[in-house]
Structures are given as C-alpha cells and as structure tokens.
Amino acid sequence: MKANIKAISYYLPETILSNDLIHQEFPEWDIEKISSKTGINSRHISAEDEFSSDMAVKAAEKLFEEHNIDKSTIDYLLFCTQSPDYFLPTTACIIQDKLGLDTSIGALDFNLGCSGFVYGLSLAKGLIAGEMAKNVLLITSETYSKFIHPNDKSNKTIFGDAAAATLISIEKGFCSIGNFVFGTDGKGAENLIVKQGGMRFPVSDENEDIKDEFGNVRNDKNLFMNGTEIFNFTGEFVPKLTEAILEKSNLTKEDIDLFIFHQANKYMLNHLRKKIKIPEDKFFIAMEHCGNTVSSTIPIALYEAQKQQKLVNATNFILAGFGVGYSWGACNLIIE
C-alpha cells in the first residue's frame, strides 16, 4: 500500500529576530556577514508562554484550513520534538486533545532533531503499509531559542523556532514516499547537546557561564554546538548518505529533479552541494526568512519548493536530514 504526502503547512511565531537586531546587540557581528555566511536574514522566536504543543496546534490547524482537511479522518499522530512541554505526559496526547482529534487515534512523541522529518515519514509509511493507519498527521515543532544563552551570538544567529504539519495518507497526494536509508553514530552526541535537564544531569542553579574563543557565552543548561565537529561530520556522512539513497532507489544524480537537505546554514549546504556535485539549479535552499528550525526545515523547504513551482514537471526528488545525535536519514519522493 502506497503512502503519499498529501499536504504540508507550517507556523512561525510572531516575534522576529532580524540580522539588524542581532547587530545592534553584538556590534562586531556585521549584518552582511551574518547574511552571506548563514543564508539567514531573520528568524522567528517563540513567545515566553508559547511552547512546542502551542506551535504544533497552530501548524495543524493551518494545515486543516489551508488544504480543506477533515480532522476526523486523522487516525494517527506522530510528534517530533526535542523540547516537549513536559517529561510526561507525552506532548502528542496534549496536542490530540487541543486539536479535538478522535480518542480512537494513536499518538506518540519521538525525540529527534535535524533528521526527524525523514524519520517521521518512515514511521508514517510503516503505519500505512502495515494497515494500522490511513491518515497520519506528522508534526515537527521545536523551541530551541529557549535553550540558547542570551549572549550566545553564534547559536542565536542560526536557530529559529517553528512547527510544520504534514499529512501522510493512503489517498493520492502531490508525491508518494519511496525508499529510505538511515544512520546513527552516538559518539557525536556531545557535539550538539543540552547537557542539563534530563535525569543524568538535572538542571542546577550553580551553573557558571563560560565564554569561548569567539565570545559566545553559555553554560550546561544551554545549547552547546561544536560547529567544527558538526561540519566535519556532515562533510563525511552526507555524501555517503546521498549515494546510498540513490543506489537503493536505483537512481542516478541526473535522475533527480530536486535535492532538499536539512537547512542547517548556507555555508554548509553549499559546501555539501559542491562536494556531492549537485547542480545549483537542482539544490533548494529556503531558510532566509526563518533560520535553522531543526526538524521543521525540510517540510518548510518542501512547502516553499511546491509554492515556488519548483516541483512542476519534476518526477524524483531527494530529502536528506542530518545532525544532532549524530543521526541521519534520507528518502526519495516520487511525483506520478
């Protein structure tokens, strides 16, 4: 039984953090430099009382309205987040109630970052192939801004908050979901981490702020990213990931009409594109208005690609997510 992506919508919080505002706060951080290096002009920041479930609900409600979807047809909810409302209960249960979805549906959270959307598609396809669901609502929602130290100009510049809602269905959509390849290497866990907050290291009030060589300030309850190691990881594994999904799908690079990678930052994406030898016109970037939104970057880019008619006359395209974990995954999508 085929699984199809029927519709996508996304939500961005109202508060906008522009490059100009970052420059005002950190005068040494030039506006043009931020834009040219990251590919980001602005990012959206969740309100103090706005959390992952709130954004998820808004994205889902937008999906239902934008695409005229009857929410009573949803029979499974998958929620991808690394910033849940609570340790327990499962945030997906809260979202089910807020959306007024049927109590007969399945609902679960899964904790993944930049590869989360691809993994979510695989779970949805499995539910449909196993005849456990007919219409799966996949929501990605992240509030990384709440993890970032106010004086961490590096991470503050890159990450934005967002939520995306995707309907995967047995009914024909704008594309069908093909093959998948995955990868995991937990040795890289400490290179992108919020160390405190779980059971191993509860949040402590005795944190000392540490300033790195670039002037970024953070402590163990904040988001830490070793940019150099993350860059090296992507340079080693993403080309292999791309090769693996092409081989599994019995396709060549020339067969692919569009590549949509996790929107990490413009510099990294262009480095990967050149290394993999993907033509610029087949490589889609859409992050200038929202930044790196973690698990929502790919569905946002996919929505924008469709809106900009990049998928017109297209047949095959590749999605690839990679990052925190380390975790990576790719799939091919087919327009029939």
Side-chain angles (χ1 to χ4, degrees), residues 84-90 197-199:
D85 285 21
Y86 308 100
F87 278 127
L88 58 96
T90 300
M199 295 298 98

mmCIF file of all heavy atoms in Angstrom, residues 84-90 197-199:
data_model
loop_
_atom_site.group_PDB
_atom_site.id
_atom_site.type_symbol
_atom_site.label_atom_id
_atom_site.label_comp_id
_atom_site.label_asym_id
_atom_site.label_seq_id
_atom_site.Cartn_x
_atom_site.Cartn_y
_atom_site.Cartn_z
ATOM 1 N N PRO A 84 9.849 19.088 24.475
ATOM 2 C CA PRO A 84 8.464 18.761 24.832
ATOM 3 C C PRO A 84 7.941 19.678 25.932
ATOM 4 O O PRO A 84 8.718 20.283 26.668
ATOM 5 C CB PRO A 84 8.565 17.316 25.323
ATOM 6 C CG PRO A 84 9.968 17.196 25.850
ATOM 7 C CD PRO A 84 10.800 18.046 24.927
ATOM 8 N N ASP A 85 6.627 19.747 26.049
ATOM 9 C CA ASP A 85 6.025 20.557 27.109
ATOM 10 C C ASP A 85 6.415 20.022 28.486
ATOM 11 O O ASP A 85 6.687 20.788 29.415
ATOM 12 C CB ASP A 85 4.502 20.537 26.983
ATOM 13 C CG ASP A 85 3.993 21.395 25.837
ATOM 14 O OD1 ASP A 85 4.776 21.681 24.909
ATOM 15 O OD2 ASP A 85 2.810 21.777 25.869
ATOM 16 N N TYR A 86 6.410 18.699 28.628
ATOM 17 C CA TYR A 86 6.719 18.036 29.893
ATOM 18 C C TYR A 86 7.549 16.776 29.625
ATOM 19 O O TYR A 86 7.569 16.261 28.509
ATOM 20 C CB TYR A 86 5.431 17.595 30.622
ATOM 21 C CG TYR A 86 4.397 18.662 30.802
ATOM 22 C CD1 TYR A 86 3.298 18.748 29.954
ATOM 23 C CD2 TYR A 86 4.497 19.583 31.854
ATOM 24 C CE1 TYR A 86 2.331 19.721 30.126
ATOM 25 C CE2 TYR A 86 3.522 20.558 32.028
ATOM 26 C CZ TYR A 86 2.447 20.634 31.162
ATOM 27 O OH TYR A 86 1.491 21.602 31.339
ATOM 28 N N PHE A 87 8.202 16.269 30.672
ATOM 29 C CA PHE A 87 8.800 14.933 30.579
ATOM 30 C C PHE A 87 7.692 13.907 30.355
ATOM 31 O O PHE A 87 7.832 12.977 29.581
ATOM 32 C CB PHE A 87 9.566 14.575 31.863
ATOM 33 C CG PHE A 87 10.946 15.156 31.914
ATOM 34 C CD1 PHE A 87 11.351 15.910 33.002
ATOM 35 C CD2 PHE A 87 11.834 14.956 30.886
ATOM 36 C CE1 PHE A 87 12.627 16.451 33.057
ATOM 37 C CE2 PHE A 87 13.111 15.490 30.931
ATOM 38 C CZ PHE A 87 13.506 16.241 32.015
ATOM 39 N N LEU A 88 6.622 14.058 31.096
ATOM 40 C CA LEU A 88 5.418 13.269 30.898
ATOM 41 C C LEU A 88 4.252 14.121 31.359
ATOM 42 O O LEU A 88 4.408 14.952 32.243
ATOM 43 C CB LEU A 88 5.488 11.930 31.670
ATOM 44 C CG LEU A 88 5.704 11.977 33.193
ATOM 45 C CD1 LEU A 88 4.384 11.887 33.952
ATOM 46 C CD2 LEU A 88 6.615 10.828 33.606
ATOM 47 N N PRO A 89 3.120 14.072 30.725
ATOM 48 C CA PRO A 89 2.734 13.100 29.702
ATOM 49 C C PRO A 89 3.326 13.431 28.330
ATOM 50 O O PRO A 89 3.911 14.501 28.127
ATOM 51 C CB PRO A 89 1.218 13.248 29.666
ATOM 52 C CG PRO A 89 0.991 14.701 29.979
ATOM 53 C CD PRO A 89 2.025 15.014 31.023
ATOM 54 N N THR A 90 3.137 12.505 27.417
ATOM 55 C CA THR A 90 3.538 12.693 26.032
ATOM 56 C C THR A 90 2.851 13.930 25.446
ATOM 57 O O THR A 90 1.644 14.089 25.575
ATOM 58 C CB THR A 90 3.125 11.442 25.214
ATOM 59 O OG1 THR A 90 3.782 10.315 25.756
ATOM 60 C CG2 THR A 90 3.472 11.590 23.759
ATOM 61 N N GLY A 197 19.120 18.905 32.314
ATOM 62 C CA GLY A 197 17.680 18.913 32.134
ATOM 63 C C GLY A 197 17.057 17.536 32.132
ATOM 64 O O GLY A 197 15.863 17.378 32.373
ATOM 65 N N GLY A 198 17.872 16.504 31.866
ATOM 66 C CA GLY A 198 17.384 15.136 31.924
ATOM 67 C C GLY A 198 17.684 14.513 33.274
ATOM 68 O O GLY A 198 18.075 15.194 34.230
ATOM 69 N N MET A 199 17.526 13.203 33.366
ATOM 70 C CA MET A 199 17.735 12.508 34.636
ATOM 71 C C MET A 199 19.216 12.422 35.010
ATOM 72 O O MET A 199 19.568 12.452 36.191
ATOM 73 C CB MET A 199 17.139 11.094 34.560
ATOM 74 C CG MET A 199 15.623 11.054 34.401
ATOM 75 S SD MET A 199 14.740 11.818 35.799
ATOM 76 C CE MET A 199 14.399 13.458 35.150
#
